[in-house]
């Protein structure tokens, strides 16, 4: 068996390199967006104004990062959705209101001290690692053939 690539591969190798690099940079940009959103929520959760919101609904998920539990609360006529872990969800089952941090400028609210960046750090590192591996492998294949 020959290690030489087929003629069709040689013809389209620039296209494959551009597609793979585009995918890798898209993953990096997506990860940055996820990080920025979680960082903003952490900022609100640590420095926002402390308010009490009336709980309007609950939705039980799997209690994991992918399928978290949801608590729906209302403040000044605006409904907010808070994702939380199973422990916090159970702790607030008997409550009719929750204490949250509110940013009056943006109208956003977050649970106090949510620590989303810290909890999702492994996810960010893994996605960036996969992106770097895609870049490395595609450039290596392009140079070899």
């Amino acid at each position: 068996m020959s290690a030489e690539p087929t003629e069709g591969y040689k013809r389209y190798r620039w296209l494959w390199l551009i597609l793979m690099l585009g995918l890798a940079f898209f993953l990096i940009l997506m990860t940055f967006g996820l990080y920025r959103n979680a960082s903003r929520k952490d900022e609100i959760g640590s420095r926002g104004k402390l308010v009490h919101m009336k709980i309007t609904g609950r939705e039980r998920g799997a209690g994991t990062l992918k399928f978290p539990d949801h608590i729906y609360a209302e403040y000044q006529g605006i409904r907010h959705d808070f994702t939380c872990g199973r422990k916090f969800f159970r702790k607030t089952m008997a409550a009719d209101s929750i204490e949250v941090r509110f940013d009056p400028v943006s109208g956003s609210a977050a649970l106090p001290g949510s620590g989303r960046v810290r909890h999702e750090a492994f996810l960010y590192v893994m996605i960036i690692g996969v992106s770097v591996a895609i870049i490395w492998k595609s450039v290596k294949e392009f140079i070899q053939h």
Side-chain angles (χ1 to χ4, degrees), residues 18-30 127 130-135 138:
I18 291 169
L19 282 174
M20 295 307 283
L21 291 177
L23 171 69
F25 287 118
F26 172 74
L27 285 174
I28 290 171
L29 287 174
M30 182 184 72
I127 294 174
V130 167
S131 301
V132 170
I134 290 172
I135 292 170
S138 59

Side-chain angles (χ1 to χ4, degrees), residues 68-126:
D69 297 324
H70 292 272
I71 297 175
Y72 301 102
E74 190 172 318
Y75 183 72
Q76 295 178 344
I78 300 172
R79 188 171 181 185
H80 298 276
D81 176 13
F82 300 104
T83 58
C84 59
R86 181 61 40 99
K87 188 176 180 181
F88 183 80
F89 187 76
R90 276 195 219 131
K91 192 169 46 169
T92 61
M93 280 302 265
D96 62 343
S97 66
I98 57 173
E99 192 174 69
V100 298
R101 298 279 181 167
F102 182 72
D103 182 22
V105 175
S106 66
S108 301
L111 295 172
S114 63
R116 288 186 65 106
V117 171
R118 192 182 81 240
H119 292 304
E120 297 172 354
F122 182 73
L123 174 71
Y124 302 142
V125 170
M126 289 303 295

Side-chain angles (χ1 to χ4, degrees), residues 5 27 40 45 53 57 59 66 82 109 113 120 136-137 142 144:
L27 285 174
R40 186 178 61 83
M53 292 190 180
E59 183 180 320
K66 187 172 181 181
F82 300 104
E120 297 172 354
W136 178 73
K137 183 70 173 167
F142 182 78
Q144 283 181 350

Side-chain angles (χ1 to χ4, degrees), residues 10-73:
K10 286 183 178 180
R11 186 180 321 155
Y12 295 110
R13 67 185 214 161
W14 276 102
L15 176 67
W16 286 114
L17 176 69
I18 291 169
L19 282 174
M20 295 307 283
L21 291 177
L23 171 69
F25 287 118
F26 172 74
L27 285 174
I28 290 171
L29 287 174
M30 182 184 72
T31 305
F32 177 70
L34 289 170
Y35 169 78
R36 193 176 62 195
N37 186 34
S39 175
R40 186 178 61 83
K41 288 281 187 189
D42 281 350
E43 181 79 22
I44 292 169
S46 63
R47 297 199 175 125
K49 181 177 122 183
L50 203 55
V51 298
H52 290 275
M53 292 190 180
K54 180 175 174 29
I55 296 176
T56 58
R58 297 174 189 277
E59 183 180 320
R60 189 169 180 168
T64 62
L65 189 61
K66 187 172 181 181
F67 301 110
D69 297 324
H70 292 272
I71 297 175
Y72 301 102

